Amino acid sequence: MTKQAISSLSILLVFLFHFIATSAQPAAAPTQPADAPTQPANPPAQPANPPVQPAKAPTPAQPAQVPVQKGPIDVTKILEKAHGYSVFVRLLKSTGVAKQLYGQLNNSNIGFTIFAPTDSAFSNLKPGTINSLSDLQKTQLIQFHILNTVVILSNFQTLSNPVPTEAGDVSAGAFPLNITTAGNQVNISTGLVNTTLGGTVYSDDQLTIYQVTKVLLPLDIFSPKAKKVAAAPTPTLSKPKTTKEDAPVSPSGAAKVDEAAAVSLSRHGMLESIGVAVVAFFVMKGI
């Protein structure tokens, strides 16, 4: 092989080696942009105060335990369906109040509001409290739980105290029932018992029944002395002490005085007559 051939082969080998070395290197990564997009320095400012939430709507009244009845309205049947009012139902029937309510509710436009004590309310009374009452007092006790008008929850604040009940005339102070409200709460006071109105047992255009957890005890029955306000005694003039000189003379005493005076005058007159007669006698003798 000639020198010229060897030189050409060497150049070829160098070229091949350079080509192989260049091909073995990975391709260059794409050029990154010079500058990434500029991020905002600060996030958008939050509002100082969150938007005002609308006021909550008032809580709707709880639905009545017993749905509106079809046909004649019977208070005892409504309470029996509600359960837990067996003592009150028994007293309504035994006193005849249930029958009266049935007649008026179904034969007139008269409406009623009833405060129905639960069985537990009666069990919290002292033993014998109800049995010790007369028939009249039991009737008045039940009537004391009844108003002769329909009062829905929102109208209790319009009532004027004392509130009249079926038990009697409040003007005499016999059966005072005071009802006050504080927000959605209705407070009832009898002078002996304070309680709050419970849930609605039943409600329609003529009858509303509310639950109470205490028996409403009227003053006239359970504390008749407490209902009578002690009246101030009428001022009277004190009688002066009498002495013998100031003591009035009784009619009999006056008669005795007059009689003695008459006797004295009579004797005095007789003496005068005798004296005149003697003088006249001596005068005549002298003549």
Side-chain angles (χ1 to χ4, degrees), residues 138-186:
K138 289 178 182 178
T139 301
Q140 291 173 330
L141 174 64
I142 297 303
Q143 291 174 333
F144 191 58
H145 291 73
I146 304 173
L147 309 183
N148 60 353
T149 184
V150 176
V151 184
I152 61 176
L153 283 172
S154 59
N155 285 349
F156 275 104
Q157 61 184 352
T158 65
L159 299 179
S160 299
N161 290 314
V163 178
T165 68
E166 289 292 292
D169 185 7
V170 297
S171 62
F175 297 94
L177 184 67
N178 294 296
I179 299 178
T180 57
T181 59
N184 292 330
Q185 180 174 300
V186 179

Side-chain angles (χ1 to χ4, degrees), residues 88-152:
F88 190 57
V89 169
R90 187 178 71 246
L91 289 170
L92 280 168
K93 291 179 178 180
S94 64
T95 57
V97 175
K99 187 176 182 180
Q100 294 175 356
L101 288 172
Y102 184 88
Q104 291 179 312
L105 286 170
N106 295 288
N107 298 308
S108 70
N109 294 324
I110 299 175
F112 296 96
T113 297
I114 299 177
F115 304 118
T118 59
D119 289 340
S120 60
F122 282 98
S123 63
N124 289 332
L125 295 175
K126 293 181 180 179
T129 298
I130 302 300
N131 292 333
S132 64
L133 301 178
S134 66
D135 291 342
L136 174 61
Q137 289 174 329
K138 289 178 182 178
T139 301
Q140 291 173 330
L141 174 64
I142 297 303
Q143 291 174 333
F144 191 58
H145 291 73
I146 304 173
L147 309 183
N148 60 353
T149 184
V150 176
V151 184
I152 61 176

Side-chain angles (χ1 to χ4, degrees), residues 264-278:
S264 177
L265 289 174
S266 176
R267 289 177 179 177
H268 184 69
M270 290 176 63
L271 290 174
E272 287 184 352
S273 300
I274 293 172
V276 171
V278 170

Side-chain angles (χ1 to χ4, degrees), residues 12-24:
L12 179 61
L13 289 174
V14 171
F15 177 78
L16 289 174
F17 178 77
H18 177 73
F19 177 77
I20 292 171
T22 305
S23 299

Side-chain angles (χ1 to χ4, degrees), residues 31 233 269:
T31 305

